[in-house]
mmCIF file of all heavy atoms in Angstrom:
data_model
loop_
_atom_site.group_PDB
_atom_site.id
_atom_site.type_symbol
_atom_site.label_atom_id
_atom_site.label_comp_id
_atom_site.label_asym_id
_atom_site.label_seq_id
_atom_site.Cartn_x
_atom_site.Cartn_y
_atom_site.Cartn_z
ATOM 1 N N ARG A 1 -6.446 3.629 -18.173
ATOM 2 C CA ARG A 1 -7.782 3.093 -17.991
ATOM 3 C C ARG A 1 -8.073 2.995 -16.499
ATOM 4 O O ARG A 1 -7.193 2.636 -15.723
ATOM 5 C CB ARG A 1 -7.909 1.717 -18.648
ATOM 6 C CG ARG A 1 -7.815 1.769 -20.167
ATOM 7 C CD ARG A 1 -7.795 0.379 -20.779
ATOM 8 N NE ARG A 1 -6.512 -0.279 -20.573
ATOM 9 C CZ ARG A 1 -6.301 -1.286 -19.743
ATOM 10 N NH1 ARG A 1 -7.292 -1.775 -19.005
ATOM 11 N NH2 ARG A 1 -5.092 -1.816 -19.640
ATOM 12 N N LEU A 2 -9.282 3.307 -16.118
ATOM 13 C CA LEU A 2 -9.674 3.337 -14.718
ATOM 14 C C LEU A 2 -10.746 2.303 -14.435
ATOM 15 O O LEU A 2 -11.634 2.057 -15.259
ATOM 16 C CB LEU A 2 -10.212 4.722 -14.331
ATOM 17 C CG LEU A 2 -9.294 5.963 -14.356
ATOM 18 C CD1 LEU A 2 -7.964 5.658 -13.712
ATOM 19 C CD2 LEU A 2 -9.153 6.499 -15.763
ATOM 20 N N GLU A 3 -10.647 1.725 -13.268
ATOM 21 C CA GLU A 3 -11.645 0.771 -12.822
ATOM 22 C C GLU A 3 -12.001 1.065 -11.373
ATOM 23 O O GLU A 3 -11.149 0.979 -10.491
ATOM 24 C CB GLU A 3 -11.137 -0.662 -12.975
ATOM 25 C CG GLU A 3 -12.151 -1.721 -12.583
ATOM 26 C CD GLU A 3 -11.660 -3.114 -12.867
ATOM 27 O OE1 GLU A 3 -11.568 -3.490 -14.056
ATOM 28 O OE2 GLU A 3 -11.336 -3.829 -11.897
ATOM 29 N N GLU A 4 -13.242 1.415 -11.146
ATOM 30 C CA GLU A 4 -13.733 1.695 -9.807
ATOM 31 C C GLU A 4 -14.471 0.474 -9.259
ATOM 32 O O GLU A 4 -15.095 -0.266 -10.014
ATOM 33 C CB GLU A 4 -14.684 2.899 -9.816
ATOM 34 C CG GLU A 4 -14.067 4.191 -10.355
ATOM 35 C CD GLU A 4 -14.217 4.362 -11.860
ATOM 36 O OE1 GLU A 4 -14.665 3.412 -12.550
ATOM 37 O OE2 GLU A 4 -13.894 5.458 -12.359
ATOM 38 N N SER A 5 -14.412 0.308 -7.958
ATOM 39 C CA SER A 5 -15.078 -0.830 -7.336
ATOM 40 C C SER A 5 -15.447 -0.494 -5.900
ATOM 41 O O SER A 5 -14.975 0.489 -5.331
ATOM 42 C CB SER A 5 -14.190 -2.077 -7.375
ATOM 43 O OG SER A 5 -12.994 -1.871 -6.639
ATOM 44 N N GLY A 6 -16.283 -1.321 -5.321
ATOM 45 C CA GLY A 6 -16.631 -1.190 -3.915
ATOM 46 C C GLY A 6 -17.977 -0.562 -3.631
ATOM 47 O O GLY A 6 -18.410 -0.523 -2.471
ATOM 48 N N GLY A 7 -18.648 -0.061 -4.650
ATOM 49 C CA GLY A 7 -19.950 0.543 -4.426
ATOM 50 C C GLY A 7 -20.959 -0.476 -3.947
ATOM 51 O O GLY A 7 -20.827 -1.675 -4.201
ATOM 52 N N ALA A 8 -21.976 0.017 -3.248
ATOM 53 C CA ALA A 8 -22.984 -0.862 -2.684
ATOM 54 C C ALA A 8 -24.221 -0.068 -2.319
ATOM 55 O O ALA A 8 -24.227 1.170 -2.358
ATOM 56 C CB ALA A 8 -22.442 -1.570 -1.448
ATOM 57 N N SER A 9 -25.257 -0.789 -1.967
ATOM 58 C CA SER A 9 -26.466 -0.178 -1.424
ATOM 59 C C SER A 9 -26.386 -0.242 0.091
ATOM 60 O O SER A 9 -26.269 -1.327 0.665
ATOM 61 C CB SER A 9 -27.708 -0.911 -1.927
ATOM 62 O OG SER A 9 -27.869 -0.754 -3.324
ATOM 63 N N VAL A 10 -26.432 0.916 0.723
ATOM 64 C CA VAL A 10 -26.285 0.996 2.172
ATOM 65 C C VAL A 10 -27.388 1.874 2.752
ATOM 66 O O VAL A 10 -28.204 2.436 2.018
ATOM 67 C CB VAL A 10 -24.906 1.560 2.569
ATOM 68 C CG1 VAL A 10 -23.791 0.658 2.054
ATOM 69 C CG2 VAL A 10 -24.735 2.980 2.030
ATOM 70 N N ARG A 11 -27.390 1.996 4.057
ATOM 71 C CA ARG A 11 -28.362 2.832 4.741
ATOM 72 C C ARG A 11 -27.717 4.113 5.240
ATOM 73 O O ARG A 11 -26.504 4.182 5.430
ATOM 74 C CB ARG A 11 -28.972 2.069 5.919
ATOM 75 C CG ARG A 11 -29.742 0.822 5.522
ATOM 76 C CD ARG A 11 -30.231 0.071 6.732
ATOM 77 N NE ARG A 11 -30.965 -1.131 6.371
ATOM 78 C CZ ARG A 11 -31.455 -1.998 7.239
ATOM 79 N NH1 ARG A 11 -31.290 -1.800 8.551
ATOM 80 N NH2 ARG A 11 -32.106 -3.064 6.804
ATOM 81 N N ALA A 12 -28.522 5.125 5.446
ATOM 82 C CA ALA A 12 -28.021 6.386 5.970
ATOM 83 C C ALA A 12 -27.244 6.151 7.262
ATOM 84 O O ALA A 12 -27.687 5.405 8.134
ATOM 85 C CB ALA A 12 -29.172 7.354 6.208
ATOM 86 N N GLY A 13 -26.090 6.779 7.361
ATOM 87 C CA GLY A 13 -25.233 6.623 8.518
ATOM 88 C C GLY A 13 -24.167 5.560 8.359
ATOM 89 O O GLY A 13 -23.222 5.509 9.158
ATOM 90 N N ASP A 14 -24.297 4.731 7.350
ATOM 91 C CA ASP A 14 -23.321 3.666 7.118
ATOM 92 C C ASP A 14 -22.019 4.210 6.546
ATOM 93 O O ASP A 14 -21.936 5.355 6.099
ATOM 94 C CB ASP A 14 -23.894 2.621 6.163
ATOM 95 C CG ASP A 14 -24.885 1.693 6.821
ATOM 96 O OD1 ASP A 14 -25.085 1.785 8.042
ATOM 97 O OD2 ASP A 14 -25.468 0.861 6.091
ATOM 98 N N SER A 15 -21.019 3.350 6.541
ATOM 99 C CA SER A 15 -19.722 3.653 5.955
ATOM 100 C C SER A 15 -19.446 2.718 4.791
ATOM 101 O O SER A 15 -19.973 1.608 4.727
ATOM 102 C CB SER A 15 -18.605 3.513 6.998
ATOM 103 O OG SER A 15 -18.757 4.448 8.045
ATOM 104 N N LEU A 16 -18.590 3.160 3.896
ATOM 105 C CA LEU A 16 -18.259 2.376 2.721
ATOM 106 C C LEU A 16 -16.902 2.816 2.198
ATOM 107 O O LEU A 16 -16.582 4.006 2.231
ATOM 108 C CB LEU A 16 -19.326 2.572 1.643
ATOM 109 C CG LEU A 16 -19.362 1.610 0.461
ATOM 110 C CD1 LEU A 16 -19.717 0.202 0.939
ATOM 111 C CD2 LEU A 16 -20.392 2.095 -0.554
ATOM 112 N N ARG A 17 -16.117 1.871 1.727
ATOM 113 C CA ARG A 17 -14.841 2.196 1.115
ATOM 114 C C ARG A 17 -14.866 1.772 -0.346
ATOM 115 O O ARG A 17 -15.132 0.609 -0.660
ATOM 116 C CB ARG A 17 -13.682 1.509 1.838
ATOM 117 C CG ARG A 17 -12.303 1.944 1.327
ATOM 118 C CD ARG A 17 -11.177 1.286 2.099
ATOM 119 N NE ARG A 17 -11.089 -0.139 1.803
ATOM 120 C CZ ARG A 17 -10.292 -0.988 2.446
ATOM 121 N NH1 ARG A 17 -9.540 -0.534 3.454
ATOM 122 N NH2 ARG A 17 -10.261 -2.265 2.119
ATOM 123 N N ILE A 18 -14.596 2.712 -1.210
ATOM 124 C CA ILE A 18 -14.526 2.419 -2.632
ATOM 125 C C ILE A 18 -13.083 2.568 -3.098
ATOM 126 O O ILE A 18 -12.282 3.268 -2.479
ATOM 127 C CB ILE A 18 -15.476 3.306 -3.458
ATOM 128 C CG1 ILE A 18 -15.188 4.799 -3.233
ATOM 129 C CG2 ILE A 18 -16.929 2.997 -3.096
ATOM 130 C CD1 ILE A 18 -16.033 5.721 -4.094
ATOM 131 N N SER A 19 -12.764 1.895 -4.193
ATOM 132 C CA SER A 19 -11.396 1.876 -4.677
ATOM 133 C C SER A 19 -11.334 2.212 -6.151
ATOM 134 O O SER A 19 -12.288 1.999 -6.898
ATOM 135 C CB SER A 19 -10.767 0.497 -4.446
ATOM 136 O OG SER A 19 -10.678 0.188 -3.076
ATOM 137 N N CYS A 20 -10.187 2.719 -6.545
ATOM 138 C CA CYS A 20 -9.900 3.044 -7.935
ATOM 139 C C CYS A 20 -8.561 2.418 -8.294
ATOM 140 O O CYS A 20 -7.577 2.586 -7.571
ATOM 141 C CB CYS A 20 -9.837 4.561 -8.122
ATOM 142 S SG CYS A 20 -9.113 5.123 -9.688
ATOM 143 N N ARG A 21 -8.528 1.704 -9.399
ATOM 144 C CA ARG A 21 -7.275 1.140 -9.870
ATOM 145 C C ARG A 21 -7.032 1.576 -11.304
ATOM 146 O O ARG A 21 -7.932 1.515 -12.135
ATOM 147 C CB ARG A 21 -7.293 -0.387 -9.773
ATOM 148 C CG ARG A 21 -5.931 -1.009 -9.980
ATOM 149 C CD ARG A 21 -5.923 -2.478 -9.654
ATOM 150 N NE ARG A 21 -4.588 -3.052 -9.816
ATOM 151 C CZ ARG A 21 -4.295 -4.327 -9.648
ATOM 152 N NH1 ARG A 21 -5.248 -5.182 -9.294
ATOM 153 N NH2 ARG A 21 -3.054 -4.757 -9.815
ATOM 154 N N ALA A 22 -5.815 2.026 -11.575
ATOM 155 C CA ALA A 22 -5.441 2.512 -12.889
ATOM 156 C C ALA A 22 -4.587 1.487 -13.620
ATOM 157 O O ALA A 22 -3.739 0.822 -13.022
ATOM 158 C CB ALA A 22 -4.679 3.833 -12.777
ATOM 159 N N TYR A 23 -4.810 1.391 -14.919
ATOM 160 C CA TYR A 23 -4.072 0.474 -15.771
ATOM 161 C C TYR A 23 -3.541 1.215 -16.983
ATOM 162 O O TYR A 23 -4.016 2.281 -17.341
ATOM 163 C CB TYR A 23 -4.976 -0.666 -16.245
ATOM 164 C CG TYR A 23 -5.582 -1.499 -15.156
ATOM 165 C CD1 TYR A 23 -6.776 -1.118 -14.552
ATOM 166 C CD2 TYR A 23 -4.976 -2.672 -14.733
ATOM 167 C CE1 TYR A 23 -7.345 -1.881 -13.557
ATOM 168 C CE2 TYR A 23 -5.537 -3.443 -13.736
ATOM 169 C CZ TYR A 23 -6.721 -3.050 -13.151
ATOM 170 O OH TYR A 23 -7.285 -3.814 -12.160
ATOM 171 N N GLY A 24 -2.558 0.627 -17.638
ATOM 172 C CA GLY A 24 -2.024 1.201 -18.862
ATOM 173 C C GLY A 24 -0.809 2.072 -18.623
ATOM 174 O O GLY A 24 0.090 1.705 -17.868
ATOM 175 N N ASP A 25 -0.780 3.243 -19.260
ATOM 176 C CA ASP A 25 0.358 4.164 -19.178
ATOM 177 C C ASP A 25 0.260 4.999 -17.907
ATOM 178 O O ASP A 25 -0.001 6.203 -17.945
ATOM 179 C CB ASP A 25 0.407 5.050 -20.415
ATOM 180 C CG ASP A 25 0.592 4.267 -21.690
ATOM 181 O OD1 ASP A 25 1.248 3.211 -21.641
ATOM 182 O OD2 ASP A 25 0.084 4.707 -22.741
ATOM 183 N N THR A 26 0.500 4.366 -16.798
ATOM 184 C CA THR A 26 0.229 4.967 -15.490
ATOM 185 C C THR A 26 1.346 5.850 -14.942
ATOM 186 O O THR A 26 1.170 6.448 -13.876
ATOM 187 C CB THR A 26 -0.094 3.881 -14.461
ATOM 188 O OG1 THR A 26 1.016 2.980 -14.356
ATOM 189 C CG2 THR A 26 -1.330 3.095 -14.883
ATOM 190 N N GLU A 27 2.476 5.950 -15.638
ATOM 191 C CA GLU A 27 3.588 6.761 -15.129
ATOM 192 C C GLU A 27 3.252 8.241 -15.059
ATOM 193 O O GLU A 27 3.897 8.990 -14.329
ATOM 194 C CB GLU A 27 4.840 6.551 -15.980
ATOM 195 C CG GLU A 27 5.436 5.162 -15.850
ATOM 196 C CD GLU A 27 6.742 5.008 -16.597
ATOM 197 O OE1 GLU A 27 7.131 5.953 -17.307
ATOM 198 O OE2 GLU A 27 7.382 3.959 -16.461
ATOM 199 N N CYS A 28 2.269 8.668 -15.796
ATOM 200 C CA CYS A 28 1.871 10.069 -15.800
ATOM 201 C C CYS A 28 1.118 10.477 -14.539
ATOM 202 O O CYS A 28 0.957 11.663 -14.270
ATOM 203 C CB CYS A 28 0.990 10.368 -17.017
ATOM 204 S SG CYS A 28 -0.576 9.444 -17.026
ATOM 205 N N ILE A 29 0.668 9.521 -13.783
ATOM 206 C CA ILE A 29 -0.212 9.818 -12.656
ATOM 207 C C ILE A 29 0.543 10.478 -11.512
ATOM 208 O O ILE A 29 1.497 9.925 -10.981
ATOM 209 C CB ILE A 29 -0.905 8.535 -12.153
ATOM 210 C CG1 ILE A 29 -1.777 7.938 -13.257
ATOM 211 C CG2 ILE A 29 -1.750 8.840 -10.917
ATOM 212 C CD1 ILE A 29 -2.389 6.604 -12.898
ATOM 213 N N GLU A 30 0.084 11.668 -11.145
ATOM 214 C CA GLU A 30 0.615 12.385 -9.996
ATOM 215 C C GLU A 30 -0.436 12.547 -8.903
ATOM 216 O O GLU A 30 -0.103 12.842 -7.757
ATOM 217 C CB GLU A 30 1.128 13.761 -10.409
ATOM 218 C CG GLU A 30 2.339 13.710 -11.322
ATOM 219 C CD GLU A 30 2.904 15.075 -11.619
ATOM 220 O OE1 GLU A 30 2.341 16.086 -11.143
ATOM 221 O OE2 GLU A 30 3.918 15.150 -12.337
ATOM 222 N N ARG A 31 -1.670 12.351 -9.262
ATOM 223 C CA ARG A 31 -2.762 12.482 -8.324
ATOM 224 C C ARG A 31 -3.967 11.762 -8.887
ATOM 225 O O ARG A 31 -4.018 11.451 -10.083
ATOM 226 C CB ARG A 31 -3.107 13.954 -8.071
ATOM 227 C CG ARG A 31 -3.599 14.685 -9.324
ATOM 228 C CD ARG A 31 -3.735 16.171 -9.082
ATOM 229 N NE ARG A 31 -2.457 16.789 -8.831
ATOM 230 C CZ ARG A 31 -1.612 17.193 -9.782
ATOM 231 N NH1 ARG A 31 -1.928 17.053 -11.065
ATOM 232 N NH2 ARG A 31 -0.458 17.743 -9.436
ATOM 233 N N MET A 32 -4.931 11.485 -8.040
ATOM 234 C CA MET A 32 -6.163 10.870 -8.493
ATOM 235 C C MET A 32 -7.325 11.624 -7.882
ATOM 236 O O MET A 32 -7.372 11.844 -6.671
ATOM 237 C CB MET A 32 -6.212 9.392 -8.112
ATOM 238 C CG MET A 32 -7.368 8.641 -8.777
ATOM 239 S SD MET A 32 -7.189 8.535 -10.587
ATOM 240 C CE MET A 32 -5.813 7.381 -10.727
ATOM 241 N N HIS A 33 -8.237 12.016 -8.740
ATOM 242 C CA HIS A 33 -9.437 12.713 -8.311
ATOM 243 C C HIS A 33 -10.596 11.731 -8.173
ATOM 244 O O HIS A 33 -10.750 10.824 -8.992
ATOM 245 C CB HIS A 33 -9.843 13.787 -9.325
ATOM 246 C CG HIS A 33 -8.754 14.752 -9.674
ATOM 247 N ND1 HIS A 33 -8.354 15.750 -8.815
ATOM 248 C CD2 HIS A 33 -7.999 14.875 -10.794
ATOM 249 C CE1 HIS A 33 -7.393 16.457 -9.394
ATOM 250 N NE2 HIS A 33 -7.165 15.945 -10.594
ATOM 251 N N TRP A 34 -11.393 11.935 -7.157
ATOM 252 C CA TRP A 34 -12.656 11.226 -7.029
ATOM 253 C C TRP A 34 -13.792 12.193 -7.332
ATOM 254 O O TRP A 34 -13.857 13.285 -6.768
ATOM 255 C CB TRP A 34 -12.838 10.664 -5.621
ATOM 256 C CG TRP A 34 -12.179 9.340 -5.386
ATOM 257 C CD1 TRP A 34 -11.039 9.101 -4.700
ATOM 258 C CD2 TRP A 34 -12.664 8.062 -5.829
ATOM 259 N NE1 TRP A 34 -10.765 7.753 -4.672
ATOM 260 C CE2 TRP A 34 -11.742 7.095 -5.365
ATOM 261 C CE3 TRP A 34 -13.771 7.635 -6.564
ATOM 262 C CZ2 TRP A 34 -11.898 5.721 -5.617
ATOM 263 C CZ3 TRP A 34 -13.920 6.278 -6.819
ATOM 264 C CH2 TRP A 34 -12.994 5.348 -6.342
ATOM 265 N N TYR A 35 -14.651 11.778 -8.219
ATOM 266 C CA TYR A 35 -15.840 12.538 -8.580
ATOM 267 C C TYR A 35 -17.077 11.708 -8.284
ATOM 268 O O TYR A 35 -17.022 10.482 -8.246
ATOM 269 C CB TYR A 35 -15.866 12.874 -10.070
ATOM 270 C CG TYR A 35 -14.813 13.847 -10.549
ATOM 271 C CD1 TYR A 35 -13.546 13.413 -10.901
ATOM 272 C CD2 TYR A 35 -15.111 15.204 -10.680
ATOM 273 C CE1 TYR A 35 -12.592 14.296 -11.367
ATOM 274 C CE2 TYR A 35 -14.162 16.091 -11.145
ATOM 275 C CZ TYR A 35 -12.904 15.636 -11.487
ATOM 276 O OH TYR A 35 -11.957 16.519 -11.953
ATOM 277 N N ARG A 36 -18.184 12.378 -8.125
ATOM 278 C CA ARG A 36 -19.453 11.674 -8.088
ATOM 279 C C ARG A 36 -20.403 12.340 -9.068
ATOM 280 O O ARG A 36 -20.309 13.537 -9.335
ATOM 281 C CB ARG A 36 -20.054 11.647 -6.678
ATOM 282 C CG ARG A 36 -20.606 12.966 -6.187
ATOM 283 C CD ARG A 36 -21.172 12.822 -4.781
ATOM 284 N NE ARG A 36 -21.882 14.015 -4.358
ATOM 285 C CZ ARG A 36 -22.346 14.210 -3.141
ATOM 286 N NH1 ARG A 36 -22.180 13.275 -2.193
ATOM 287 N NH2 ARG A 36 -22.995 15.329 -2.837
ATOM 288 N N GLN A 37 -21.296 11.558 -9.596
ATOM 289 C CA GLN A 37 -22.273 12.064 -10.538
ATOM 290 C C GLN A 37 -23.655 11.580 -10.136
ATOM 291 O O GLN A 37 -23.964 10.389 -10.241
ATOM 292 C CB GLN A 37 -21.952 11.621 -11.968
ATOM 293 C CG GLN A 37 -22.875 12.216 -13.016
ATOM 294 C CD GLN A 37 -22.406 11.953 -14.428
ATOM 295 O OE1 GLN A 37 -21.858 10.891 -14.726
ATOM 296 N NE2 GLN A 37 -22.610 12.915 -15.310
ATOM 297 N N VAL A 38 -24.449 12.507 -9.671
ATOM 298 C CA VAL A 38 -25.843 12.217 -9.359
ATOM 299 C C VAL A 38 -26.591 12.109 -10.678
ATOM 300 O O VAL A 38 -26.299 12.825 -11.639
ATOM 301 C CB VAL A 38 -26.445 13.324 -8.476
ATOM 302 C CG1 VAL A 38 -27.925 13.071 -8.223
ATOM 303 C CG2 VAL A 38 -25.686 13.422 -7.162
ATOM 304 N N SER A 39 -27.534 11.219 -10.733
ATOM 305 C CA SER A 39 -28.289 10.995 -11.956
ATOM 306 C C SER A 39 -28.840 12.299 -12.518
ATOM 307 O O SER A 39 -29.482 13.072 -11.807
ATOM 308 C CB SER A 39 -29.438 10.018 -11.687
ATOM 309 O OG SER A 39 -30.174 9.761 -12.854
ATOM 310 N N GLY A 40 -28.543 12.549 -13.790
ATOM 311 C CA GLY A 40 -29.033 13.735 -14.457
ATOM 312 C C GLY A 40 -28.222 14.992 -14.235
ATOM 313 O O GLY A 40 -28.568 16.046 -14.764
ATOM 314 N N LYS A 41 -27.141 14.906 -13.463
ATOM 315 C CA LYS A 41 -26.327 16.068 -13.168
ATOM 316 C C LYS A 41 -24.886 15.858 -13.615
ATOM 317 O O LYS A 41 -24.495 14.766 -14.006
ATOM 318 C CB LYS A 41 -26.376 16.387 -11.674
ATOM 319 C CG LYS A 41 -27.760 16.743 -11.158
ATOM 320 C CD LYS A 41 -27.734 17.137 -9.696
ATOM 321 C CE LYS A 41 -29.107 17.539 -9.211
ATOM 322 N NZ LYS A 41 -29.084 17.942 -7.783
ATOM 323 N N ASP A 42 -24.103 16.927 -13.556
ATOM 324 C CA ASP A 42 -22.695 16.855 -13.924
ATOM 325 C C ASP A 42 -21.871 16.204 -12.818
ATOM 326 O O ASP A 42 -22.279 16.156 -11.656
ATOM 327 C CB ASP A 42 -22.140 18.252 -14.195
ATOM 328 C CG ASP A 42 -22.739 18.907 -15.415
ATOM 329 O OD1 ASP A 42 -23.164 18.193 -16.334
ATOM 330 O OD2 ASP A 42 -22.772 20.153 -15.448
ATOM 331 N N LYS A 43 -20.706 15.730 -13.196
ATOM 332 C CA LYS A 43 -19.773 15.219 -12.201
ATOM 333 C C LYS A 43 -19.315 16.356 -11.292
ATOM 334 O O LYS A 43 -19.098 17.473 -11.747
ATOM 335 C CB LYS A 43 -18.550 14.595 -12.871
ATOM 336 C CG LYS A 43 -18.808 13.312 -13.640
ATOM 337 C CD LYS A 43 -17.499 12.764 -14.200
ATOM 338 C CE LYS A 43 -17.708 11.444 -14.930
ATOM 339 N NZ LYS A 43 -18.417 11.643 -16.217
ATOM 340 N N GLU A 44 -19.162 16.057 -10.018
ATOM 341 C CA GLU A 44 -18.648 17.024 -9.067
ATOM 342 C C GLU A 44 -17.473 16.423 -8.307
ATOM 343 O O GLU A 44 -17.491 15.247 -7.930
ATOM 344 C CB GLU A 44 -19.735 17.509 -8.108
ATOM 345 C CG GLU A 44 -20.452 16.423 -7.344
ATOM 346 C CD GLU A 44 -21.583 16.959 -6.487
ATOM 347 O OE1 GLU A 44 -21.716 18.191 -6.354
ATOM 348 O OE2 GLU A 44 -22.345 16.140 -5.933
ATOM 349 N N LEU A 45 -16.466 17.236 -8.093
ATOM 350 C CA LEU A 45 -15.252 16.766 -7.435
ATOM 351 C C LEU A 45 -15.484 16.566 -5.947
ATOM 352 O O LEU A 45 -16.023 17.440 -5.263
ATOM 353 C CB LEU A 45 -14.123 17.772 -7.662
ATOM 354 C CG LEU A 45 -12.762 17.427 -7.070
ATOM 355 C CD1 LEU A 45 -12.173 16.187 -7.735
ATOM 356 C CD2 LEU A 45 -11.807 18.619 -7.220
ATOM 357 N N VAL A 46 -15.048 15.421 -5.451
ATOM 358 C CA VAL A 46 -15.168 15.088 -4.038
ATOM 359 C C VAL A 46 -13.829 15.198 -3.321
ATOM 360 O O VAL A 46 -13.730 15.780 -2.239
ATOM 361 C CB VAL A 46 -15.738 13.663 -3.857
ATOM 362 C CG1 VAL A 46 -15.716 13.254 -2.388
ATOM 363 C CG2 VAL A 46 -17.155 13.584 -4.413
#
C-alpha cells in the first residue's frame, strides 16, 4: 500500500518536496517510481 504526502499549492518557481511511504509486504520493493497525472490524462513517469 502506498501513501503520498507533501503536495501543496505553490507559485511558479517555487520548490516542494513530496514523499512516498510504502506499507504491507514491502520486501518486494527494489525501486520506487514517481508518476504524475494531469487532470484528464494518463499517468506519466517522472
Side-chain angles (χ1 to χ4, degrees):
R1 293 174 286 108
L2 295 315
E3 182 175 289
E4 302 89 352
S5 62
S9 294
V10 299
R11 298 176 180 177
D14 283 356
S15 296
L16 194 65
R17 186 178 70 188
I18 57 176
S19 297
C20 166
R21 192 170 182 183
Y23 301 86
D25 298 329
T26 59
E27 292 185 354
C28 63
I29 298 174
E30 294 185 358
R31 63 188 66 84
M32 190 66 71
H33 307 285
W34 276 104
Y35 292 85
R36 72 180 188 187
Q37 185 170 36
V38 176
S39 181
K41 298 184 178 181
D42 293 333
K43 292 183 178 71
E44 56 184 351
L45 181 65
V46 174

